[in-house]
Amino acid sequence: MRFFCLAALLASACAFTSQPAAFTTQSPLVGERAVNNVVAPSTSHRNRLATIVMDGKANAIRDRITSVKNTKKITMAMKLVAAAKVRRAQDAVLATRPFSETLQSVFGGLIQRLGGDTIDLPLLTQREVKKVTLTVVTGDRGLCGGYNSYMIKKAEARYKELTSQGIEVDMVVIGQKGIAYFKRRNYPIRKTFECGQNPSAKQALAISEELLNTFLSGETDAIELLYTKFVSLIASTPSVRTLVPFSASDITQKGDEVFQLTSDSGDFSVERTELEVAEPQEFPNDMIFEQDPIQIVNSILPLYLNGQVLRTLQESVASELAARMQSMQSASDNAGDLANKLSLEYNRARQAAVTQEILEIVAGASALN
């Protein structure tokens, strides 16, 4: 046992004495050796790449720059996705144009044929307004700037305006953002629907049937539609219009406009096209209808309502997507500006660290001399 202890002590002593001193007054710089009185870099230093030791602040800035650049990539991708969806929405609007024009033409021809008898149609009859149903169209998701908040404020203002006049008001809310907002504040909600990113005829039919049943049953005297009117990629306007009862003059004399998203050198823009009113279809005086023309008009009006609801949903979705494009573009621009500022700050911190190291090396060399 004594032999083993003595051997261990000798090994420890050799470990401390066999290696050269880590710091001696004979070596001019740490990690370097003197050959023929000339300071030469060691082999390990020649093979190692130059590194700069920075403090925690510079490393934190570098990590933040990486995070901001990744965020910019995400926002730019979201902008491009929204642009693709805008194109799909405009294609859907163009696909419904032939049906809308034919419906408007046939309706105009029947109105001319009937003359003043249209006053007997329930959907064209004006009532004394005692109760109004507000149909509010919002989005299902956020990250679209002030799109949802502007629409909600418009609906609240219209609700207060009607209630101050002593008119009873209930609401049909479309879109998760509006549903969550108005439910939390205990507004009288009759029915709720999801908006989605790709409105379909089936979805519009369910909404129009609910509105028609509400009006024809006498539960409400007027139905107002609150939606976001698409103006351009950087502007949209919350609008209010009376949906039911219809006005024969509005149906037969109201034109339409189509927006088309275009791109030039990576920049998006919108081209607006004004469409003229469809000419009323001419029915000869000796034409005999199998059904009463009034019944035909009564059958056309629900189809017209369904088309108007679908068109409104498509326009609102296009406005939401355009607002999201603009919001993501602004976020990308802000991320780029922030990355540039952080790069300047990072370079300053890096230069300060390099300067501090140089000063320490010079001070150490001066102390050794």
Side-chain angles (χ1 to χ4, degrees), residues 28-30 32 45 51 353-369:
L29 293 176
V30 176
E32 297 181 349
H45 277 208
T51 58
V354 172
T355 303
Q356 182 66 25
E357 287 186 0
I358 293 174
L359 291 176
E360 291 176 355
I361 293 173
V362 171
S366 299
L368 292 176
N369 294 330

Side-chain angles (χ1 to χ4, degrees), residues 97 111 272:
R97 278 300 305 164
I111 292 298
R272 184 195 302 261

Side-chain angles (χ1 to χ4, degrees), residues 69-87:
K69 288 183 177 179
N70 291 337
T71 302
K72 182 179 179 179
K73 293 179 182 178
I74 294 173
T75 54
M76 286 300 296
M78 293 180 67
K79 175 191 173 183
L80 296 177
V81 170
K85 290 182 177 180
V86 168
R87 290 185 183 275

Side-chain angles (χ1 to χ4, degrees), residues 205-282:
L205 179 61
I207 298 172
S208 61
E209 285 182 348
E210 173 66 25
L211 300 179
L212 275 177
N213 294 335
T214 302
F215 181 78
L216 295 177
S217 62
E219 298 180 19
T220 187
D221 300 314
I223 297 175
E224 293 185 356
L225 183 63
L226 289 84
Y227 69 104
T228 305
K229 185 177 181 181
F230 185 84
V231 178
S232 66
L233 289 178
I234 60 175
S236 56
T237 306
S239 304
V240 182
R241 54 174 289 196
T242 300
L243 191 60
V244 180
F246 296 114
S247 172
S249 60
D250 288 345
I251 297 176
T252 57
Q253 299 176 8
K254 186 177 180 181
D256 200 358
E257 56 186 4
V258 175
F259 302 92
Q260 189 170 5
L261 181 65
T262 60
S263 60
D264 183 15
S265 301
D267 296 329
F268 294 100
S269 61
V270 172
E271 294 181 356
R272 184 195 302 261
T273 304
E274 297 286 343
L275 301 178
E276 298 180 355
V277 180
E279 293 293 332
Q281 185 171 345
E282 296 183 1

